[in-house]
Amino acid sequence: MMKSPVFVIVFLCSFFSYSQVVINEIDPDTASSDVKEFIELKSTTANFPLDGLVVVFFNGGSTTGIDSYYAIDLDGLVTDGNGIVLLGNPQVTPAASYIFPGNTIQNGPDAVAIYIGNATNFPFATRAIANPIDAVAYTGNATLPSALMSILGLGIVCYNENINSLASTQSIQRKADGTYEVKTPTPRAVNYGTGITYNGIAVTCVTNTTEGQNYTITFTTDTPVLTELNFNITLNNGSFNSSDYSGILNISIPAGSNSASTTIQILNDGINEGDETMKITIGTVPSDYVILSNNIAIRVHDINFAVQPWGSPLHPTHGLCPRAIPTGYYNSLEGKSGSALRQAIQDIIANPNTVRVQNYGDVYDVLKEADQNPENSGQVWMIYDEQPISKIDYQTDNSIVGKWNREHIYCQSRLGIPSSFTPNSTPDGIDVSRATTGPNDIEASHDDNHHLRAVGGQENSSRGNKNYGVDYYNGPTGSSGSWHGDVARAIFYMTLRYNGLAVENGDPGSTPSGHIGDLATLLAWNATDPADDFEMNRNNLIYDWQMNRNPFIDYPTLVDYVFGSLTNSTWFAPLSTENFSDIKFSLHPNPTSNQITISGLNQESTIEIFSLSGMKLMSTYFSGTTQLDLNLASGMYLAKISSDNKTTTKKLIIK
């Protein structure tokens, strides 16, 4: 697609503006276990914001010689009056504005480069890209990262940090003429000539707290202050305001000291409003001081969250969430098989007269409902990561670290969407939708919530557009596979909802467009990870938005009739499916001191006791009037009674 002249002009202006930023100093090899590594950047203009830039570290000794191993977003960082900003390990002195773990920078032969972009563009093992804003290649011996230097271009020269046999005590530093030399490190200081000597102010605090707790913030200067240092801080940020905390915001560091602290009380307002973000912002400081890190975001967890009666995908429950299937929704499938069954399913889930299409901007709102962590209404459940994250930590800028975003289970690049398609990213709510042209409306697949899930930003980048399976993508190391069935049923739904999509055995490659693998893996995943309450709740909520359901969640065995071993068999909905009608029985006393009596059910029945987090605590068969000893701690539980293909759930209180 041809770029517009306006885009080209904006890009060139950005490039020339950023081209004044260079790598001023790098120290990859330090004493002991490399705990004082740093990289220093310098801008021609003082106090220059570095938003929109990323520093990328490349491994010159890898198999290809051109793979990235670490990337740092520079959003929010600003150079000081000397044009300098320091990124370094926690033990670097003076302190850095951006902290990364010790022993992160490889000793070489490697390279580091600055690009316009963000860390999402450079996940682990990304190939190097030519012509960055600036780059430095380095080594600790005679070996050069030749392949890497060739790709980066810019006439890049490699510098040997160990040229004086003092690699652990010297760094590579830029000179006034743009060349480099190796000498004693000068972090956060001008390499040549004179400059402003600042006393830096660093903030030490934990990154999260909870309503009702005390929260301590410590401010530390590089060196003791000569005269009393006074400054103010603010904590307000969006919905988090002065009604959410109390404490002293006027900070004073006495003469001769280099630190001061304040303790803030985070107030519990008793309202379930979700997690919030407190932002620690230091106000104006004297001209001979520099704020090393400012506008620090602190997560404040709401303790008034709601809990669902079912479990998370990692601790699944079944039968606690009702199937909200409209009456007669699947009647047309009865007695069909093969292609007729496939067509009947598509006629339901792609019906242009009923199915709605929301825009991409609405997806975050949908996921905050559909992927809500059952154990905490202030969180969403990240599918591959198999853990919750605060709802407000969705990605809104270039940084993916500690964020969640929208994962297309059926990879975007495999959907076959025309290159001219531009998603509408402005949310307009559940009541606004566009008409669908039915199964040929492939553009609607981009915004279909049945295959969009909350996922950690970094894991989303790692997944890329890989097929699913042990030899392709099988989740992060240590994954329990709690998401396997969810993925399979989403893929199977997509292949029937949209013409042109297909799931195949093995890797279909990049052609034909619209194909994904691996069928054998997904069939196995559907069987070994059956649909649970979390998935059923998603199905119900997405139906409210899109007016269609995923039939393979409602009837997981339907997968075998369409894609598996029963494709020639005739489909009839299972008669044993729970209908969640009320059962006539008595459970008493309630509240109880740990013993209950069940009466009114003469046929064989079951009772299951669940915690509010969805964990099954006991299960037993019974018939007739039965007395049970529960041995449970005081609190509220859920008692699920199943009898004669019917199920009901009651709250049970233990005194």
Side-chain angles (χ1 to χ4, degrees), residues 64 110 152 189 237 400 421 510 531 587 596 603 636 652:
T64 61
D110 296 309
L152 290 173
N237 180 52
I400 61 173
F421 171 72
S510 58
L587 185 154
I596 58 171
Q603 65 271 36
M636 182 180 292
L652 175 64

Side-chain angles (χ1 to χ4, degrees), residues 333 341-351 439-440 495-499:
L333 307 187
L341 178 59
R342 292 177 65 98
Q343 187 60 55
I345 295 172
Q346 187 181 71
D347 289 344
I348 296 172
I349 65 176
N351 185 344
N440 293 318
T495 59
L496 289 191
R497 168 65 177 89
Y498 300 98
N499 291 334

Side-chain angles (χ1 to χ4, degrees), residues 239-576:
S239 63
F240 187 86
N241 54 49
S242 57
S243 66
D244 295 304
Y245 65 87
S246 64
I248 298 174
L249 304 183
N250 302 313
I251 310 303
S252 178
I253 300 179
S257 178
N258 73 329
S259 69
S261 297
T262 185
T263 297
I264 306 297
Q265 184 180 10
I266 308 299
L267 305 177
N268 177 13
D269 56 14
I271 303 172
N272 177 14
E273 57 189 347
D275 295 346
E276 296 178 293
T277 300
M278 174 174 70
K279 187 170 288 186
I280 303 172
T281 301
I282 300 176
T284 303
V285 297
S287 59
D288 53 341
Y289 288 88
V290 61
I291 303 169
L292 300 179
S293 53
N294 211 2
N295 301 311
I296 302 172
I298 307 300
R299 178 54 21 78
V300 179
H301 296 292
D302 191 342
I303 63 174
N304 303 290
F305 55 82
V307 176
Q308 296 284 5
W310 49 82
S312 70
L314 202 57
H315 302 100
T317 59
H318 301 85
L320 296 179
C321 178
R323 299 185 313 163
I325 304 174
T327 302
Y329 189 73
Y330 291 118
N331 284 358
S332 61
L333 307 187
E334 296 295 295
K336 291 185 172 64
S337 63
S339 59
L341 178 59
R342 292 177 65 98
Q343 187 60 55
I345 295 172
Q346 187 181 71
D347 289 344
I348 296 172
I349 65 176
N351 185 344
N353 297 316
T354 57
V355 177
R356 301 188 304 195
V357 179
Q358 254 68 40
N359 70 47
Y360 199 47
D362 286 317
V363 171
Y364 276 126
D365 290 333
V366 176
L367 295 183
K368 287 176 185 177
E369 287 186 87
D371 286 0
Q372 179 174 298
N373 178 18
E375 299 174 359
N376 186 327
S377 59
Q379 301 172 333
V380 292
W381 185 265
M382 298 185 291
I383 182 169
Y384 306 136
D385 310 77
E386 298 182 307
Q387 61 182 310
I389 188 173
S390 178
K391 286 182 176 179
I392 63 176
D393 282 331
Y394 63 95
Q395 185 179 342
T396 57
D397 53 26
N398 292 332
S399 178
I400 61 173
V401 179
K403 304 293 184 180
W404 65 274
N405 53 33
R406 302 162 288 197
E407 155 73 339
H408 288 81
I409 299 298
Y410 208 114
C411 321
Q412 289 188 63
S413 61
R414 293 179 180 270
L415 290 171
I417 298 174
S419 59
S420 58
F421 171 72
T422 301
N424 181 356
S425 295
T426 303
D428 48 25
I430 192 171
D431 296 324
V432 178
S433 64
R434 72 169 178 82
T436 174
T437 57
N440 293 318
D441 186 8
I442 196 63
E443 291 183 354
S445 67
H446 182 275
D447 307 331
D448 194 317
N449 291 284
H450 281 300
H451 85 123
L452 285 159
R453 292 292 293 264
V455 66
Q458 291 167 294
E459 190 58 34
N460 196 6
S461 294
S462 298
R463 188 271 162 121
N465 69 345
K466 300 182 184 74
N467 297 296
Y468 289 99
V470 175
D471 296 329
Y472 306 109
Y473 180 76
N474 197 32
T477 302
S479 171
S480 72
S482 65
W483 47 273
H484 284 172
D486 304 52
V487 161
R489 289 179 282 276
I491 294 287
F492 293 138
Y493 158 86
M494 292 292 287
T495 59
L496 289 191
R497 168 65 177 89
Y498 300 98
N499 291 334
L501 302 185
V503 56
E504 299 180 4
N505 276 314
D507 179 11
S510 58
T511 56
S513 176
H515 290 221
I516 195 171
D518 167 53
L519 175 60
T521 295
L522 296 174
L523 286 171
W525 284 1
N526 177 65
T528 58
D529 178 32
D532 55 26
D533 289 313
F534 181 89
E535 208 174 347
M536 187 62 69
N537 182 59
R538 284 194 95 251
N539 208 13
N540 294 341
L541 289 169
I542 291 172
Y543 177 81
D544 292 340
W545 282 80
Q546 296 184 181
M547 300 304 294
N548 72 347
R549 298 179 66 84
N550 184 338
F552 303 114
I553 295 174
D554 292 328
Y555 297 109
T557 57
L558 185 59
V559 168
D560 295 321
Y561 287 79
V562 180
F563 299 95
S565 60
L566 301 176
T567 52
N568 295 320
S569 300
T570 303
W571 167 260
F572 292 99
L575 297 177
S576 60

